[in-house]
Amino acid sequence: MSWFTPEHQLAEYINKWFDDVRTWTEIVTGQDLDPNHLVYDAESVGAGLRFIERPHDGALGFTITTPRVLPLRGQEWADILGFVRDGKEPPLEEVLSRDARAAHRRDADRRAIIDAATALEIALGRHVRSPADRLPEGQEDASASGQLSATTSRSPSTPAFSSLFRSIGCAG
């Protein structure tokens, strides 16, 4: 393949690196940083106004609302770069939760619901499968012998739950 030169290979590697950094940053900050799907509101001011002088017809201006960007703290930036360097991927439920919030902001409600439900299913599955890890000392033996069901363990505390609850406006 003559088009797959070393320069193209380098560009592909850099593109993947930036995508990985963006994914981790979106998960850490809860922001939508996808450059391919910019989210902002634009509203023309004065559209439809008629003036006596012809050159002044049309919109007088635009009001553009852009999302607020939250900067990373130094330690968060170092952690993200370390995760990307080491090839660590964020938990799937966090990626799906991020995708659900982004789809919701873009009015893709069906995809938002599917991604949020899948993230919740993964997080609940992890929670139910490992209740002994969260049980107080002394109850671990009862859980292992089947005396306690998974529903008696404490409420979930994974980051996916808190980000999902925040995205739908619930405290969590």
Side-chain angles (χ1 to χ4, degrees):
M1 296 182 163
S2 61
W3 62 269
F4 204 64
T5 63
E7 293 85 10
H8 286 96
Q9 291 175 359
L10 178 62
E12 286 296 316
Y13 180 79
I14 291 172
N15 189 43
K16 182 183 177 342
W17 183 87
F18 273 110
D19 192 46
D20 291 347
V21 169
R22 179 183 57 85
T23 297
W24 272 107
T25 304
E26 288 175 330
I27 287 171
V28 169
T29 65
Q31 298 178 85
D32 185 359
L33 303 174
D34 189 348
N36 298 318
H37 296 99
L38 300 177
V39 178
Y40 62 88
D41 296 325
E43 176 183 329
S44 60
V45 178
L49 290 178
R50 299 300 246 180
F51 293 91
I52 294 175
E53 296 179 28
R54 203 46 143 157
H56 296 290
D57 284 349
L60 298 176
F62 288 98
T63 301
I64 299 175
T65 306
T66 58
R68 185 170 171 238
V69 176
L70 303 173
L72 288 170
R73 292 185 200 101
Q75 188 57 51
E76 291 171 329
W77 183 240
D79 290 344
I80 288 170
L81 292 176
F83 294 152
V84 172
R85 177 197 64 222
D86 297 341
K88 292 183 181 175
E89 293 190 16
L92 180 58
E93 66 270 23
E94 291 293 338
V95 173
L96 289 169
S97 177
R98 173 210 59 179
D99 292 346
R101 288 189 304 274
H104 176 69
R105 280 190 291 274
R106 293 182 186 97
D107 293 323
D109 295 331
R110 182 182 173 119
R111 176 166 180 200
I113 290 169
I114 290 169
D115 285 348
T118 305
L120 184 61
E121 181 181 3
I122 292 168
L124 281 173
R126 287 188 182 157
H127 174 71
V128 168
R129 283 190 291 276
S130 62
D133 295 339
R134 290 181 298 279
L135 291 175
E137 195 173 318
Q139 290 183 356
E140 294 149 347
D141 294 334
S143 175
S145 65
Q147 294 174 355
L148 290 176
S149 69
T151 57
T152 60
S153 60
R154 292 189 283 210
S155 64
S157 60
T158 64
F161 275 103
S162 56
S163 63
L164 279 172
F165 288 141
R166 278 193 307 275
S167 72
I168 60 172
C170 299

